[in-house]
Amino acid sequence: MRDALDATPYDALLLLSFGGPEGPDDVVPFLENVTRGRGIPKERLKEVGQHYFLFGGISPINDQNRALLDALRKDFAEHGLDLPVYWGNRNWGPYLTDTLRETVADGRRRVLVLATSAYASYSGCRQYREDLAGALATLEGEGLELPRIDKLRHYFNHPGFLEPMIEGLLKSLAELPEDVRAGARIAFTTHSIPNASADTSGPAEDHGDGGAYVKQHLDVARLVADAVRERTGIDHPWQLVYQSRSGAPHIPWLEPDICDHLEELHGAGVPAVVMAPIGFVSDHMEVLYDLDTEATAKAAELGLPVRRSATVGADPRFAAAIRELVLERAAAESGRAVTPCALGALGPSHNLCPVGCCPARAPKPAAAGADSPYA
């Protein structure tokens, strides 16, 4: 049993997330970090920050990451997996560079990274890898011994990620008034991204017409909807829709938007809708504002009954899935036989991002991939 829980060659797991403000004074500096290099005026950032100010200037994402850290550490301890778990963010404290410096000081030399994004895209994968490369470059400039960094594969179709979402959707359907429940539609939501970014998401062979980003979300939506049908006997029609668009109006982004979709469903006589945010690991600001506030207000305006199902968050099944993914990758790196766990039509994702995977408009060095300068 002890051998089965051996994470060798890894000696640390790093939870890598987006980060968020933890008070009103943090909001604009946080948004300056997020938008660095885009030349957005501070006054515009204050306008954008109103979403955060509605919630006291506090994003829930950091507390949600703390809960996930606790869940991971508890699961590892209960199963005899001796692997310390660190936490670093891209845009707010604890910052990634500081956390990697800490791992080096602690003598960690093989670090496995869990990003809080389950799907392939530039913003959901390669940008994290670019920040890892930037942090390593900083440590290198300081004369520190660099750890080797690997990243866990995309986990969108792991049963430990899917099952909590299925359960959450079933609960939300059950909360609808009985007279509209059977006719309810499911709106699976995820973050809208530019069409050009979607089309080039994933490895080169997946590029075109939404790329891996759309394919992976559609596969998850089918898996969740099929499970709901099997457990309730009711086939709820569904559609993948998008939220949280933030780009210039003239640039095409993935559509339809959730609010437009609710209007369309109401016009078609649909009696109720459950919004299922399958594109998000936790109930962070974009879920709280774009769904719980904005989309829910639109539904109330229409007189359309809606519910919003829960994200995975720190569910113990998700923590167990991460443990399984860690052991899977450790076995592969050690040359031991391993059968990756994945449901659906797409199978397990790649362990190593290939060259050309989720390219940026302006190429930057990226760690933990086939093109990493820190192999």
Side-chain angles (χ1 to χ4, degrees), residues 89 95-102 131 134-136 138-139 142:
N89 290 325
Y95 287 103
L96 169 60
T97 301
D98 295 334
T99 300
L100 278 183
R101 194 180 290 113
E102 181 185 354
D131 286 353
L136 290 171
T138 298
L139 299 189
E142 295 171 359

Side-chain angles (χ1 to χ4, degrees), residues 199-223:
D199 292 344
T200 56
S201 58
E205 59 268 22
D206 286 336
H207 291 179
D209 196 22
Y213 186 75
V214 172
K215 290 177 187 174
Q216 291 171 0
H217 281 88
L218 287 173
D219 203 40
V220 168
R222 290 188 192 99
L223 287 164

